[in-house]
Every structure is written in C-alpha cells, then in structure tokens.
Amino acid sequence: MMRRRTTLLTGCTALVLALGATACGGGPVTAGGGDKALSGQTVTVAGVWSGSEQKNFQKVLDAFSQKTGAKTQFVSTGDNVSTVVGSKIEGGNAPDVVMVPQVGVLQQFAKEGWLKPLSQTAQSAVDANYADVWKTYGSVDGTLYGLYFKAAHKSTVWYSPDALTQAGVEPPTTYEEMLKAGQTISDSGLAAFSVAGQDGWTLTDWFENIYLSQAGPEKYDALAAHQLKWTDASVVEALTTLGKLFKDKQLIAGGQKGALNTDFPGSVEKVFGPKPEAGMVYEGDFVAGVAKDQFGRTIGEDANFFPFPAVGGGDAPVVSGGDAAVVLKDGKNAEAGMKLLEYLATPEAAAVWAEAGGFLSPNRKLDLASYGDDVTRATARSLVDAGDSVRFDMSDQAPAAFGGTKGAGEWKILQDFLRDPSDPKGTAAELEAAAAKAYRG
C-alpha cells in the first residue's frame, strides 16, 4: 500500500544528465528541453484511473509528449485490470504500458511472460530515487519489471480538530491512547470512529496496520507470502486487538450494524460531512481528497490526520499501496513505452501530479515543496522517511480470491468478524482455510 531522508536534491545533477530532467526542485514544472525523438509515435497506457485521477495523470502524459514529441492515449480499465489487459493481449490490441495497482497482478503478468524488464536507464533511476522496498515489490524472481509512480499512505487516521478540541483530547501516539481518546470523544456525545465495514478492503487495512506494528515486519512478510499460517498466535493476537474496537458500540458510529452499512465515502461523510456522527475515520491519505472535494473541508484546518499509532510496544506502522508502471512485450510501441517509464522515474514527472494534487510519490528525490499543502507534505514525508520499513498492503499481495474479492475471502471473513468479534481464534481458522485454498489455486 516507505525512507530515511537526507537532502532532497542529492543526486539531482546526475539525474538530469542521465534522464534529461529539467525540474528537480519545487518551482514551476516544465517538460521543455526534450529532443522530440519520439515524434509521430503513440504510446497507449492502460490503468484503473478515472475522473480527477485520470485527468491529473493526463497532465503527466502531456508533459512527456511536450518533451519527446510522442502522442499518448489513456484507456481506463476499471477495477479488473488483469481481465481487461489479458483480453486485449489475446485480441492483438495490447497497450504499451499498464499502471498495475496490485503486487499480485504484477506478479501474474510477469509469470504469464507479458512484461519487459525495465531498461538500464529506468533501473538506474529506481536505484537512485527509491528505497529498496519499492524495487522489491516491482520485481519478480529477481527481475525488475515495475516502476512505482503513485503511492498511497494507508497508515493515517483522519480527524475533525473541532471534535478532538471539544472533547479535550490530543492526537494519540499509541493504540491504547487512541482507544482511550475515543472513549473521551464518545463521552462528549460524538462516536469516536466511523468505520466503513460495507467495504471489506477497509477492514483488511485495519488488520494490516495492527498486525505490522504488533507482530513486526518479518512476520508481516511471512504472512503476506502465506509462509506463516493465519492460525499463528500473532494473527489471533492482532484480531483480539482489533476486536476490542469492533465490539465497543460506544466507539463506532452506529455500532457494528451501522459500520456494516457504511461504505468508504460514507465513512468520511460521518466525520467531515454536514452532520458529523464521529470524530475520527481511519483510512489512507485519499481521505483528504473526499473531505476536500465532496464536503468542502480545508485540509490542515478543519480536517487533519495523525499517524496510525504504535500497537503493543511495536513501531508505528507504515502500510502502503501503489500503482506500478509496466511495459508489455506485445504492445505495438513497447520501446516508446519504456521511454515513458524512464520519464515517470524522474522527480520532474512526479512533480507534475504533485502540483495538481491528490497524489503521493515514493520518489525520494521529489522536492516536497511540489505538494500543494502542508498536510500532504507531512504525509509524503512520512512515506519517504519510513524507507525500507514500508510494507505493501498485504491483501494486494494475495491472490484476488483471498485478498481482493467482494463477498469472499478475507473481505467477507473480516466483515463477519466486525459483526461478531467474539471468536478471534475461529476467525483466524477461517482466514487460513480461505488463504490455503486461494494460494493453491
């Protein structure tokens, strides 16, 4: 679903020489200075983005066109990238580049033999600009195929400053403090948390943050690869911790039933909408976009976040997701597609979207001044400063049958656990049975 920071401009000069970038700082972004070497060529890009995300990514593609002379065409796939891209390949109409939103899908594409390894120029940029963890998640069997361009920070708890001020509480630094602050908020007449239980993926994110902090990164990696069974005591312990929140009807807006009838946008509305029902909502940095665009909140003033707090004496977690650019072998213009990836690896390309908003980059050479507000800069800094301690969303690493299917697998089992959190051990057994079946398949 992330780097120890020194200076943002280290290596910038070398990068300009290697990649032809003209903007490493936070000033106006320009794609000028290109040699138009790709004039007359068209690069087709497929990805899940639509709406404002597609519009802002198009600005990046336009900057690439200005630099290289290439035309671009974006095709929105919807959520089922694997099926859409597979059918396009079979039909002889493969895109040149795909923005892949899940590690599991990237691995699937590589094992199908669909992908071209990154060029040496792109690999050098990844080595220079990214923490090693992003190279790991972009690689399959030691070969680097994916360039992570857009990231999500899934370890942020968003809150109404008014709600916390009225309750007399400060943003907490530990999970226990967070629950205690939640009790104080609920005593003041507002539920502590809005939980989007109707969307099973939000519950996997709750579990992953607790598990990463409580069990540690080694066990997190083992569980993500199903080298550790879900019946392990560490899983039961994390479910028990999560269950303390789920079973407390005072802490959750509408109780368990209300949570199960609340989708992700609805959970944000319950905190930042016109009739607030809760003081806090846990989810990724993208909460800010909903709070701002749909409910008119000013980020940093009447909507803010604190990092997901440390659990049980562990380190505070940083869970991320992200979209990796890959080049398909069967694309009609794969060579020009690789030039696009080389451009996406530069801080210049990241700055285009950062200035447009609704974006975080794992590129540690991107000047944080490129982001439009202090809260986004703080989120981006947290992502970058986490370095190799970042862990990718666990459910996104799993087979879709277990970690990414509505009404099935982990999503459904955790919804059932939200409905009745009384048996963490039994829930762990159900998770293991579903995982074993999916990984065999």
Side-chain angles (χ1 to χ4, degrees):
M1 56 198 225
M2 305 176 180
R3 250 160 250 107
R4 196 56 43 204
R5 191 173 197 83
T6 52
T7 173
L8 286 163
L9 297 183
T10 300
C12 184
T13 303
L15 199 64
V16 169
L17 294 174
L19 295 170
T22 59
C24 285
V29 176
T30 173
D35 57 9
K36 312 294 183 184
L38 301 179
S39 292
Q41 301 186 50
T42 298
V43 179
T44 304
V45 185
V48 300
W49 297 322
S50 60
S52 62
E53 285 185 308
Q54 181 179 341
K55 181 180 177 181
N56 288 334
F57 182 56
Q58 188 61 51
K59 293 178 182 179
V60 180
L61 296 179
D62 290 345
F64 171 71
S65 296
Q66 184 182 345
K67 174 180 286 293
T68 64
K71 295 180 180 179
T72 62
Q73 180 181 13
F74 183 81
V75 179
S76 186
T77 63
D79 289 335
N80 203 338
V81 178
S82 178
T83 300
V84 172
V85 171
S87 65
K88 286 184 176 294
I89 290 173
E90 289 178 8
N93 192 30
D96 302 305
V97 174
V98 181
M99 307 303 296
V100 179
Q102 294 172 305
V103 173
V105 173
L106 188 151
Q107 292 171 343
Q108 176 197 338
F109 283 10
K111 289 171 183 175
E112 292 281 358
W114 293 350
L115 303 183
K116 288 177 68 72
L118 262 58
S119 67
Q120 188 56 54
T121 300
Q123 289 192 45
S124 296
V126 172
D127 289 338
N129 298 358
Y130 291 76
D132 288 344
V133 66
W134 296 101
K135 187 172 182 178
T136 299
Y137 288 128
S139 299
V140 180
D141 296 331
T143 299
L144 182 58
Y145 295 104
L147 182 282
Y148 277 93
F149 180 64
K150 186 177 189 287
H153 193 324
K154 290 193 169 187
S155 297
T156 51
V157 181
W158 294 83
Y159 67 93
S160 163
D162 283 347
L164 267 64
T165 298
Q166 288 177 17
V169 299
E170 297 288 333
T173 58
T174 70
Y175 189 79
E176 287 301 321
E177 285 178 4
M178 184 170 73
L179 296 187
K180 186 176 179 181
Q183 291 287 358
T184 304
I185 292 170
S186 66
D187 289 345
S188 71
L190 202 64
F193 293 97
S194 174
V195 175
Q198 187 175 317
D199 290 324
W201 59 268
T202 68
L203 305 183
T204 70
D205 290 346
W206 268 105
F207 171 82
E208 288 157 7
N209 276 275
I210 289 172
Y211 190 80
L212 177 56
S213 182
Q214 197 170 59
E218 289 184 8
K219 285 198 170 183
Y220 185 97
D221 291 344
L223 188 61
H226 201 221
Q227 294 166 353
L228 183 72
K229 290 187 176 183
W230 286 77
T231 47
D232 188 82
S234 61
V235 176
V236 177
E237 184 180 14
L239 288 169
T240 301
T241 299
L242 183 56
K244 289 180 183 177
L245 170 64
F246 284 176
K247 71 183 180 183
D248 194 324
K249 290 180 171 60
Q250 264 194 304
L251 288 181
I252 299 177
Q256 287 122 313
K257 185 176 180 180
L260 287 163
N261 288 317
T262 303
D263 62 8
F264 166 66
S267 72
V268 180
E269 181 176 6
K270 286 186 176 181
V271 177
F272 299 115
K275 297 180 179 179
E277 298 177 37
M280 297 179 281
V281 57
Y282 157 68
E283 248 313 326
D285 61 276
F286 37 84
V287 167
V290 180
K292 178 182 177 182
D293 296 341
Q294 294 190 25
F295 306 115
R297 296 293 181 138
T298 302
I299 307 305
E301 294 183 15
D302 51 7
N304 212 331
F305 83 97
F306 56 85
F308 196 102
V311 185
D315 293 330
V318 180
V319 176
S320 180
D323 297 89
V326 298
V327 176
L328 296 188
K329 288 180 179 178
D330 290 346
K332 292 181 174 63
N333 211 344
E335 288 189 15
M338 191 63 72
K339 293 297 182 184
L340 173 59
L341 261 67
E342 292 171 8
Y343 175 67
L344 294 180
T346 68
E348 175 188 3
V352 175
W353 197 338
E355 291 185 3
F359 174 81
L360 290 181
S361 172
N363 190 322
R364 60 187 170 195
K365 298 293 176 61
L366 174 63
D367 191 333
L368 294 179
S370 299
Y371 294 105
D373 62 81
D374 289 340
V375 173
T376 305
R377 276 188 282 276
T379 314
R381 183 180 290 109
S382 173
L383 179 72
V384 169
D385 284 355
D388 289 326
S389 66
V390 172
R391 288 301 183 269
F392 207 92
D393 184 302
M394 190 186 296
S395 61
D396 282 353
Q397 298 183 58
F402 177 64
T405 302
K406 187 175 181 178
E410 188 181 3
W411 290 17
K412 182 183 185 302
I413 293 167
L414 288 180
Q415 287 174 321
D416 291 342
F417 182 66
L418 169 59
R419 185 176 290 108
D420 179 9
S422 63
D423 186 11
K425 196 169 183 179
T427 297
E430 289 182 51
L431 287 164
E432 172 57 28
K437 182 178 179 181
Y439 279 87
R440 281 198 305 268

